[in-house]
C-alpha cells in the first residue's frame, strides 16, 4: 500500500470513535446486571403468559420425550411463541438450519397474514414445525436432482427458539433439522442429534451396568454429552479488508511478506486488550447474553490481531448451535466497530492460525462428570475405563476423526508446526499415563506423587497440581476433567467432529457393555471386570497415546512406526468418508446411512475444489491487475534511472543489480502464474481434481506467494498497490 494511502488509512482509523452501543438498562438508564437480561431474546415457555400450568407440564414432558407432540399442543406452543416474539417487536420468522456447506441458512417469512381483508399476525403449528425452503441451491452431493429438490426443515425441540436482532428489527429464529423428502439428513445437525442419542444410551448403560446396586432407584438418569468451544478469530480494519480481494473472496491472504516483528516476542498473548477491541468484545458479549449464550472468557491470542472467546459449556446439541451463533455475532458486531472478523484458520502466513478447541465430556446428574478423575484417580475404575474407551475409539477411528476436521482452510493449520499435526493422538498427562501403564502391565499403582505444585514462594497459595500439564501440541488432550479436541478449525461447524467422536466412543462403549454384562452374569466382581476392560483396551490402543511434542519431526516418524494414519491433506482425508468399511461404526449405529455418507463425501470434495479454484483465480487476478503492473512500472523507473545516470557518466551499479533481480522474479512469477492458470478451466470437482489441487496446484501457488513476497519487499513502496501484513495486522 502506498505511503499516502497508508497515511490516510491511519488517519481514518484514528478518527473512528470507540463505538457506544445500547447497554441494557432500566427505565432510569441504570445498567442492568447481566443476570437481569440474560436470555431475554430466547423463548422460555415457563415465562409465557398465555400457556397454562398444565400446558407447561405437557411441554416439559414432550421435551424429555415422555409425551408425543400433539397438533393441539403444537398450536398452543406456536401461539405462545408468536405472542412473545411480536410483543418484542419481531415481524418475521425463519427456520434456521445448517446445510452441508457448514454455515447456516435461513429464509424469512412475515407473520403478517390477511384474514377477511384484515391484517393479523400468525404463526401456525405447521409453520412452526415444518418448512419447505427451496432447497435446490444447497449442495446435495448428487443425492437429489434439482427438479425434485424437496428438502424439509423440521423444528428441533432440543434447541431454544430465539430472536435474531438487527439495527431495525427482529426475526424469530427456529432451529431446525434439514431433511429430504424420504427422511435423508441433508444437514449437519441431524447426525449430531443421532450421535448424541447413541452415545447417551451407551454411556448410560455402562454406568448402570457397572453400578454396584441393581435397584431401579439407583439407575442413572440419561448421560449427557457436554461441549464448550473456544473460538479464536482475527480482527482487521474494515477499510483495509476491502483493499485485499484475497481476503474478500477467500478469507485469507494468499501472499504477504512477514513483518520484522510479529509474534516472536509473545507480547500480544494475554496482553492488555486494545480499547476499540474491548468495546467490540463487550458488545459481542451483550448480544450473546441476550441470546442465552454464556460467554465466559475473552483475551488476546498469540498472533497480533488475534483474540479468543469461550463460553461456559452446555449440552452438546445446544453448544453446536450456539457456536454457529457466536461466529455470526462476532462477524456482525465487528462490522459495527469498523472491523472485519476473520474466522479463517490461516488468514496470514508466518503467524499463528486460528483453531476452535472443542471441549467435550460426558456426565449425568447422579454420577457427575464421567471424566472427573477425583483425588484418587487410580481407584476410580469407572473413570479409567471411560478414558480407556476413548483411547480405543481414537485408536480405531483416528482417520475418521481427521476426516471430520478436513477442509481446504484447516489444511493450512494442521501440521504447520504451530497447530496439532494431522496425526490423531491423545495426550493423557503423566499421572494418568503412569496409572494406565501400570494397570495395562497387570501391576498395581501407588500414589506417591506430591500433589501440590511447589511455586517456590510461600506467599503464593499452594496450587493443587493439575493432573495434566496442558500440552499444547496434542490434537486431542485430556485437560483435567474433559478432553479437548484441538485440531478443529476456527471456521468449522463443530457438528461434524462432534458426530464422529460421539459415534466412535459410543461404538466402543457398546462392545464394553456386552462384555461387562456377560462377566457380571458369570458372577465376576465389578472391580475385576473393570480392571480387565481397562487393561485390554489400553494395551490395544496405547499407540494412540502420545505425551511429547506433537510438532516435532520425531513424532511424525514415531507415529509412522506405530502405524497411525497421517492424512496430510484434505484430498487424502476425505477419501475415508467414501470407504464403507471405515465407517461401519457410524452406519451400524444409524448415525449416517451409507447414502448420507456418499452425499457428504461428494459435497466436501466439491467444496474443497470450489474453494481452492476461487483462491487460484483470485491470486491470478491480483497478479495481473496489481502486482505485475507495479513491478513492471518499477522496472521502467529503474531502466530510466540507469539511462539517466549513464548520460552523465555515473555508474548505476545498484540500479542495474536491482533491475536484474526484480526482472528475474517478475519472469518467474509470470511463468508460474501461466502454469497455474493452464489447468484451471479443465478442473472439475471430483477427488482426482482435489488430488491435483492438493499435490500440484496448491504447492505451485505457494511458490508464487514466495515470488510475490520478494517483490513486495523490493518494489518501491510508492508503487505497491495492496495493503501489506504491516497494514493489516498493526494498523488498528
Ligand atoms: P483453556 O484455554 O485453558 O483450555 P478455557 O476456560 O478457555 O480454558 O476453555 C475451556 C472450555 O472448556 C470452556 O468453554 C469450558 O466451559 C469448557 N468445559 C469445561 N468443562 C467442560 C465439560 N465437562 N464438558 C465440556 N466442556 C467443558
Ligand atoms: Mg483450551
Amino acid at each position: 500500500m502506498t505511503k499516502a494511502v497508508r497515511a490516510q488509512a491511519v488517519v481514518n482509523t484514528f478518527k473512528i470513535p470507540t463505538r457506544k452501543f445500547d447497554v441494557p438498562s432500566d427505565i432510569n438508564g441504570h445498567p442492568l446486571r447481566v443476570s437481569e437480561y440474560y436470555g431475554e431474546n430466547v423463548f422460555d415457555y415457563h415465562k409465557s403468559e398465555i400457556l397454562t400450568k398444565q400446558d407447561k407440564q405437557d411441554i416439559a414432558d414432550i421435551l424429555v420425550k415422555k409425551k408425543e407432540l400433539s397438533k393441539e399442543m403444537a398450536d398452543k406452543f406456536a401461539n405462545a411463541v408468536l405472542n412473545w416474539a411480536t410483543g418484542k417487536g419481531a415481524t418475521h420468522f425463519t427456520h434456521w438450519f445448517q446445510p452441508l456447506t457448514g454455515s447456516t441458512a435461513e429464509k424469512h417469512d412475515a407473520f403478517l397474514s390477511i384474514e377477511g381483508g384484515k391484517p393479523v399476525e400468525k404463526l401456525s403449528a405447521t409453520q412452526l414445525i415444518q418448512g419447505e425452503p427451496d432447497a435446490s441451491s444447497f449442495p446435495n452431493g448428487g443425492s437429489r436432482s434439482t427438479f425434485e429438490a424437496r428438502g424439509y426443515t423440521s423444528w428441533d425441540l432440543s434447541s431454544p427458539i430465539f430472536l435474531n436482532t438487527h439495527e431495525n428489527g427482529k426475526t424469530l429464529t427456529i432451529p431446525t433439522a434439514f431433511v429430504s423428502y424420504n427422511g435423508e439428513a441433508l444437514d449437519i445437525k441431524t447426525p449430531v442429534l443421532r450421535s448424541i442419542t447413541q452415545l447417551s444410551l451407551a454411556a448410560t448403560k455402562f454406568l448402570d451396568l457397572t453400578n454396584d446396586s441393581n435397584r431401579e432407584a439407583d439407575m442413572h438418569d440419561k448421560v449427557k454429552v457436554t461441549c464448550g468451544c473456544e473460538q479464536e478469530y482475527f480482527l482487521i480494519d474494515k477499510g483495509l479488508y476491502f483493499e485485499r480481494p484475497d481476503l474478500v473472496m477467500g478469507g485469507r491472504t494468499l501472499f504477504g511478506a512477514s513483518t520484522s516483528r510479529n509474534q516472536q516476542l509473545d507480547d500480544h498473548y494475554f496482553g492488555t486488550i486494545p480499547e476499540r477491541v474491548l468495546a467490540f468484545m463487550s458488545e459481542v458479549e451483550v448480544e450473546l447474553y441476550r441470546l442465552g449464550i454464556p460467554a465466559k472468557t475473552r483475551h488476546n491470542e498469540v498472533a497480533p490481531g488475534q483474540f479468543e472467546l469461550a463460553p461456559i459449556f452446555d449440552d452438546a446439541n445446544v453448544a453446536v448451535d450456539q457456536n454457529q451463533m457466536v461466529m455470526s455475532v462476532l462477524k456482525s458486531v465487528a462490522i459495527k466497530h469498523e472491523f472485519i472478523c476473520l474466522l479463517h484458520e490461516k488468514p496470514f502466513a508466518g503467524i499463528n492460525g486460528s483453531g476452535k478447541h472443542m471441549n467435550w465430556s460426558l456426565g449425568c446428574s447422579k454420577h457427575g462428570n464421567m471424566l472427573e478423575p477425583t483425588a484418587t484417580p487410580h481407584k476410580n475404575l469407572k473413570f479409567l475405563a471411560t478414558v480407556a474407551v476413548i483411547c480405543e475409539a481414537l485408536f480405531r477411528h483416528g482417520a475418521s476423526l481427521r476426516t471430520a476436521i478436513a477442509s481446504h482452510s484447516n489444511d493450512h493449520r494442521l501440521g504447520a508446526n504451530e497447530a496439532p499435526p494431522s496425526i490423531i493422538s491423545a495426550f493423557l498427562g503423566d499421572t494418568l499415563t503412569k496409572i494406565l501403564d501400570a494397570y495395562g502391565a497387570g501391576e498395581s499403582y501407588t500414589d506417591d506423587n506430591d500433589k501440590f505444585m511447589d511455586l517456590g514462594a510461600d506467599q503464593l497459595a499452594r496450587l493443587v497440581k493439575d493432573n495434566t500439564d496442558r500440552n499444547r501440541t496434542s490434537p486431542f488432550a485430556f485437560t483435567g476433567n474433559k478432553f479437548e479436541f484441538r485440531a478443529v478449525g476456527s471456521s468449522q461447524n463443530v457438528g461434524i467432529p462432534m458426530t464422529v467422536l460421539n459415534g466412535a466412543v459410543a461404538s466402543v462403549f457398546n462392545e464394553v457393555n456386552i462384555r461387562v454384562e456377560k462377566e457380571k452374569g458369570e458372577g465376576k466382581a465389578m472391580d475385576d471386570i473393570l480392571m480387565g476392560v481397562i487393561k485390554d483396551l489400553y494395551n490395544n490402543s496405547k499407540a494412540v497415546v502420545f505425551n511429547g511434542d506433537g510438532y516435532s519431526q520425531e513424532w511424525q516418524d514415531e507415529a509412522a512406526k506405530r502405524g497411525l494414519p497421517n492424512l496430510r491433506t484434505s484430498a487424502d482425508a476425505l477419501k475415508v468418508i467414501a470407504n464403507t468399511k471405515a465407517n461401519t461404526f457410524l452406519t451400524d449405529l444409524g448415525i449416517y446411512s451409507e447414502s448420507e455418507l456418499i452425499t457428504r463425501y461428494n459435497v466436501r470434495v466439491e467444496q474443497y475444489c470450489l474453494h481452492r479454484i476461487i483462491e487460484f483465480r483470485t491470486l491470478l487476478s491480483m497478479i495481473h491487475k496489481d502486482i505485475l503492473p507495479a513491478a513492471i512500472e518499477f522496472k521502467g523507473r529503474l531502466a530510466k534511472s540507469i539511462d539517466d545516470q549513464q548520460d552523465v557518466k555515473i555508474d548505476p551499479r545498484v540500479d542495474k543489480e536491482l533491475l536484474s533481480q526484480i526482472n528475474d522474479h517478475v519472469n518467474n512469477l509470470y511463468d508460474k502464474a501461466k502454469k497455474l492458470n493452464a489447468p484451471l478451466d479443465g478442473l472439475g470437482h471430483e477427488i482426482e481434481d482435489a488430488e491435483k489441487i492438493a499435490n500440484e496446484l496448491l504447492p505451485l501457488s505457494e511458490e508464487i506467494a514466495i515470488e510475490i513476497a520478494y517483490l513486495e519487499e523490493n518494489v518501491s513502496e510508492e508503487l505497491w498497490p495492496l495493503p501489506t501484513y504491516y497494514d493489516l495486522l498493526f494498523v488498528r
Side-chain angles (χ1 to χ4, degrees):
M1 192 159 80
T2 66
K3 277 209 168 115
V5 176
R6 175 179 299 134
Q8 191 53 51
V10 171
V11 170
N12 289 346
T13 300
F14 286 103
K15 266 202 238 149
I16 296 170
T18 301
R19 176 179 146 90
K20 292 247 184 294
F21 60 94
D22 286 338
V23 180
S25 316
D26 64 16
I27 38 169
N28 300 317
H30 295 303
L32 293 175
R33 292 188 179 90
V34 171
S35 55
E36 289 171 309
Y37 69 89
Y38 185 82
E40 68 174 21
N41 284 343
V42 179
F43 177 67
D44 181 354
Y45 67 88
H46 298 102
K47 293 189 191 148
S48 167
E49 284 151 17
I50 59 173
L51 290 170
T52 65
K53 221 170 151 203
Q54 182 57 45
D55 292 340
K56 291 178 188 177
Q57 185 53 50
D58 288 347
I59 293 169
D61 289 345
I62 291 163
L63 290 178
V64 295
K65 297 199 173 125
K66 268 201 215 152
K67 245 189 197 160
E68 287 277 312
L69 177 67
S70 66
K71 169 84 175 62
E72 190 204 347
M73 202 53 235
D75 270 327
K76 284 187 185 169
F77 195 93
N79 209 22
V81 172
L82 174 72
N83 183 54
W84 170 76
T86 49
K88 281 186 155 286
T91 52
H92 289 67
F93 71 95
T94 181
H95 277 199
W96 185 69
F97 58 103
Q98 299 171 28
L100 298 177
T101 49
S103 54
T104 56
E106 50 193 81
K107 179 187 159 216
H108 297 196
D109 277 291
F111 290 124
L112 177 71
S113 190
I114 305 290
E115 273 180 5
K118 287 212 171 95
V120 284
E121 274 89 16
K122 287 211 83 171
L123 178 70
S124 70
T126 324
Q127 284 171 319
L128 168 71
I129 295 173
Q130 201 180 73
E132 193 181 338
D134 173 16
S136 54
S137 298
F138 291 106
N140 55 46
S143 63
R144 304 160 298 141
S145 44
T146 321
F147 63 88
E148 51 160 24
R150 220 176 313 161
Y152 294 96
T153 49
S154 103
W155 177 31
D156 168 19
L157 277 73
S158 67
S159 191
I161 293 178
F162 59 94
L163 288 178
N164 227 335
T165 53
H166 53 94
E167 285 298 317
N168 301 314
K170 291 177 180 156
T171 308
L172 177 77
T173 308
I174 304 164
T176 58
F178 183 42
V179 292
S180 79
Y181 177 67
N182 54 11
E184 189 162 305
L186 298 173
D187 64 353
I188 292 176
K189 167 176 267 209
T190 307
V192 174
L193 296 176
R194 294 174 185 157
S195 78
I196 292 172
T197 304
Q198 289 302 323
L199 180 52
S200 170
L201 281 172
T204 310
K205 180 152 189 201
F206 173 78
L207 286 183
D208 283 340
L209 280 171
T210 54
N211 211 344
D212 295 327
S213 136
N214 281 328
R215 288 188 325 152
E216 184 66 26
D218 293 332
M219 290 296 154
H220 291 87
D221 47 347
K222 220 169 82 184
V223 167
K224 288 184 165 175
V225 184
T226 51
C227 171
C229 296
E230 297 160 60
Q231 178 70 50
E232 292 180 343
Y233 58 92
F234 278 87
L235 287 179
I236 61 165
D237 192 82
K238 188 163 96 183
L240 297 176
Y241 168 80
F242 289 103
E243 295 288 317
R244 286 285 305 222
D246 45 359
L247 282 177
V248 178
M249 294 294 138
R252 75 172 174 114
T253 57
L254 296 169
F255 52 82
S258 299
T259 49
S260 52
R261 168 175 174 165
N262 42 57
Q263 64 188 41
Q264 62 275 61
L265 299 174
D266 275 340
D267 50 352
H268 183 67
Y269 191 49
F270 279 18
T272 313
I273 302 172
E275 169 90 18
R276 198 175 140 203
V277 175
L278 196 53
F280 155 80
M281 288 175 166
S282 312
E283 186 163 359
V284 166
E285 285 157 355
V286 167
E287 287 305 314
L288 294 179
Y289 294 152
R290 285 186 163 129
L291 288 165
I293 300 176
K296 182 78 175 165
T297 60
R298 60 184 187 204
H299 60 81
N300 289 0
E301 258 301 326
V302 175
Q306 192 186 28
F307 307 91
E308 182 187 294
L309 176 156
I312 298 171
F313 68 96
D314 205 331
D315 289 358
N317 57 324
V318 174
V320 171
D321 280 3
Q322 290 189 340
N323 181 252
Q324 292 295 117
M325 286 149 71
V326 165
M327 291 195 284
S328 140
V329 168
L330 283 171
K331 283 201 239 169
S332 61
V333 174
I335 291 173
K336 296 184 187 168
H337 290 257
E338 307 295 324
F339 286 128
I340 293 287
C341 174
L342 299 177
L343 294 172
H344 192 286
E345 282 76 1
K346 192 75 181 169
F348 306 97
I351 57 172
N352 270 24
S354 298
K356 175 146 54 200
H357 297 175
M358 185 179 98
N359 294 270
W360 172 96
S361 190
L362 298 167
C364 71
S365 57
K366 199 167 279 178
H367 179 90
N369 183 351
M370 290 174 75
L371 287 173
E372 172 56 53
T374 66
T376 49
H378 61 294
K379 292 185 189 151
N380 190 346
L381 298 187
K382 283 186 209 179
F383 159 71
L384 293 173
T386 304
V387 172
V389 163
I390 294 166
C391 289
E392 179 71 20
L394 239 55
F395 176 68
R396 285 191 205 170
H397 305 301
S400 292
L401 278 163
R402 162 67 182 100
T403 304
I405 49 161
S407 72
H408 73 287
S409 48
N410 209 17
D411 273 6
H412 295 285
R413 200 176 140 256
L414 296 180
N417 285 349
E418 56 156 87
S422 32
I423 308 159
I424 299 292
S425 66
F427 168 85
L428 298 181
D430 283 348
T431 314
L432 202 44
T433 308
K434 274 188 202 147
I435 297 172
L436 288 168
D437 277 342
Y439 292 172
E443 291 160 6
S444 60
Y445 176 88
T446 35
D447 183 17
D448 55 357
N449 275 347
D450 180 3
K451 282 214 204 60
F452 292 93
M453 216 187 284
D454 182 9
L455 294 172
D458 285 343
Q459 67 271 38
L460 296 176
R462 294 220 303 168
L463 292 180
V464 179
K465 198 169 177 176
D466 196 340
N467 274 320
T468 61
D469 75 4
R470 309 211 143 217
N471 176 318
R472 294 273 157 200
T473 64
S474 174
F476 199 87
F478 182 70
T479 48
N481 58 3
K482 57 187 161 65
F483 274 95
E484 190 168 320
F485 194 3
R486 298 218 186 95
V488 180
S490 49
S491 69
Q492 292 179 329
N493 184 320
V494 287
I496 301 175
M498 174 63 71
T499 302
V500 176
L501 177 61
N502 290 345
V505 175
S507 72
V508 181
F509 260 130
N510 284 339
E511 283 179 26
V512 166
N513 288 342
I514 293 171
R515 169 172 173 173
V516 173
E517 198 158 23
K518 178 165 169 281
E519 295 184 3
K520 202 173 168 183
E522 291 162 2
K524 206 165 167 182
M526 190 45 70
D527 279 6
D528 295 339
I529 299 176
L530 286 173
M531 262 313 198
V533 167
I534 295 165
K535 185 175 171 194
D536 292 348
L537 289 185
Y538 182 69
N539 283 339
N540 189 53
S541 66
K542 68 180 171 208
V544 86
V545 177
F546 177 66
N547 294 328
D549 179 2
Y551 297 174
S552 67
Q553 183 56 45
E554 290 86 74
W555 169 232
Q556 309 243 349
D557 302 338
E558 167 68 20
K561 275 192 217 137
R562 294 189 191 182
L564 299 178
N566 185 358
L567 303 165
R568 282 171 213 275
T569 69
S570 287
D572 293 335
L574 291 175
K575 280 183 223 154
V576 178
I577 313 180
N579 176 346
T580 314
K581 232 177 97 196
N583 293 302
T584 45
F585 72 106
L586 294 167
T587 45
D588 284 353
L589 290 171
I591 292 173
Y592 291 113
S593 67
E594 270 184 43
S595 80
E596 284 169 349
L597 281 172
I598 294 169
T599 304
R600 276 148 190 81
Y601 171 70
N602 290 338
V603 168
R604 290 181 62 197
V605 171
E606 181 182 48
Q607 290 276 313
Y608 176 83
C609 295
L610 288 173
H611 280 289
R612 285 286 184 237
I613 294 170
I614 290 172
E615 286 184 352
F616 297 150
R617 292 206 188 279
T618 307
L619 178 62
L620 290 168
S621 141
M622 291 173 83
I623 291 172
H624 290 290
K625 287 190 172 145
D626 294 314
I627 294 157
L628 284 177
I632 290 168
E633 168 85 28
F634 188 52
K635 281 203 314 180
R637 283 195 190 181
L638 285 171
K640 182 163 183 312
S641 145
I642 291 168
D643 279 354
D644 290 352
Q645 291 174 65
Q646 275 165 347
D647 283 351
V648 292
K649 306 259 178 321
I650 294 176
D651 174 19
R653 182 173 65 87
V654 175
D655 309 55
K656 279 183 173 168
E657 219 170 276
L658 271 179
L659 179 57
S660 141
Q661 283 167 9
I662 301 252
N663 198 44
D664 287 347
H665 286 280
V666 167
N667 289 343
N668 287 346
L669 176 60
Y670 181 79
D671 294 342
K672 285 179 201 273
K674 241 167 115 175
K675 206 167 142 194
L676 179 64
N677 187 48
L680 285 193
D681 281 342
L683 272 184
H685 311 138
E686 306 297 325
I687 191 71
E688 300 74 33
D689 304 302
E691 282 172 332
K692 187 177 167 73
I693 288 171
N695 301 326
E696 289 171 38
L697 303 183
L698 184 66
L700 179 60
S701 76
E702 281 160 355
E703 285 174 30
I704 289 177
I706 295 173
E707 295 297 345
I708 301 176
Y710 175 89
L711 293 173
E712 184 182 314
E713 286 187 303
N714 290 282
V715 166
S716 162
E717 193 152 24
E718 288 312 322
L719 297 174
W720 197 255
L722 298 159
T724 62
Y725 280 11
Y726 173 87
D727 306 313
L728 295 168
L729 291 167
F730 294 95
V731 175
R732 215 177 15 250

